Amino acid sequence: MSNNIRLLVGLANPGQEYAQTRHNAGAWVVEELARVHNVTLRQDPKYFGLTGRIITNGQDLRLLIPTTFMNLSGKSVAALANFFQIKPEEILVAHDELDLPPGVAKFKKGGGHGGHNGLRDIISKMGNNKDFYRLRIAIGHPGDKNKVAGYVLGKAPAKDQELINAAVDESVRCIDVLLKDGLSKAQNRLHSFKAE
């Protein structure tokens, strides 16, 4: 049974100054998927974000990178989802994950926001429905919760960035598995991956 995922969202902060920061790891997934499928993401003011569309495994998949700030991501997601009548359980949100070391990525369905402001806003703008899929791109943790804000808005050192890029690359391959074969197969593959 395939998953009917119709929207893939990559969370980020807008603007060049944030483009290479850890908090934008979710957007890197969408950018890579667009690149692989040779699709250009275009600014769409109606949805407060960059949008694109791919057909993969016979499924029509919309791509979205909100161009709101992270803590307003839900405004963009809700605008597009409402327009195309996409339910929360048909959405996959890729985001940065502090609680895992760089080089790892995990799929998950539902759950809380874990303190992530982008997820928090999406949940609230989708009528407190938490049933969307998540793709957690690990960025590691600074070791002190008071340093988190600066950490996620900073650039990863080259070695960490290589590991994150490898995890993004593998995640994009596993999205295909997710669409074709469902969540548990995609999890089996992605969760056994660890970039070295």
Side-chain angles (χ1 to χ4, degrees):
M1 110 109 199
S2 82
N3 288 316
N4 188 21
I5 291 176
R6 297 171 55 205
L7 171 60
L8 173 58
V9 181
L11 296 187
N13 275 308
Q16 271 319 106
E17 71 271 35
Y18 294 112
Q20 296 309 311
T21 61
R22 293 180 180 94
H23 220 10
N24 281 27
W28 301 339
V29 172
V30 173
E31 288 164 357
E32 179 59 16
L33 199 62
R35 190 190 66 74
V36 168
H37 287 272
N38 210 5
V39 167
T40 304
L41 297 170
R42 301 191 190 290
Q43 182 66 48
D44 194 329
K46 259 200 323 286
Y47 310 123
F48 314 100
L50 299 168
T51 64
R53 210 174 148 189
I54 62 173
I55 306 284
T56 179
N57 294 311
Q59 274 179 257
D60 188 353
L61 186 63
R62 292 184 184 277
L63 306 178
L64 173 66
I65 298 176
T67 48
T68 58
F69 278 94
M70 183 67 80
N71 59 349
L72 300 172
S73 300
K75 177 179 177 181
S76 171
V77 175
L80 193 145
N82 292 340
F83 186 83
F84 291 106
Q85 297 179 327
I86 297 172
K87 301 196 277 290
E89 49 275 19
E90 298 173 322
I91 300 173
L92 171 61
V93 177
H95 65 88
D96 56 309
E97 172 61 66
L98 284 160
D99 293 337
L100 297 164
V104 175
K106 306 268 186 210
F107 283 119
K108 173 179 170 184
K109 185 165 194 299
H113 54 68
H116 193 292
N117 289 330
L119 294 178
R120 180 186 279 130
D121 195 56
I122 292 169
I123 290 167
S124 99
K125 298 288 194 300
M126 299 301 285
N128 285 326
N129 187 325
K130 304 178 179 127
D131 284 344
F132 53 91
Y133 292 86
R134 295 89 188 284
L135 170 54
R136 302 154 64 206
I137 303 294
I139 59 169
H141 196 286
D144 175 347
K145 69 178 191 326
N146 299 318
K147 293 185 179 153
V148 164
Y151 181 80
V152 298
L153 295 177
K155 294 181 181 180
K159 181 64 186 135
D160 281 4
Q161 189 62 53
E162 268 172 46
L163 295 173
I164 294 168
N165 292 347
V168 165
D169 187 61
E170 179 66 10
S171 296
V172 167
R173 294 167 209 267
C174 290
I175 287 168
D176 275 345
V177 178
L178 175 66
L179 295 172
K180 198 161 78 225
D181 301 318
L183 183 62
S184 63
K185 278 206 170 135
Q187 283 177 324
N188 288 345
R189 174 165 164 181
L190 186 57
H191 297 190
S192 62
F193 175 82
K194 172 96 174 79
E196 296 301 335

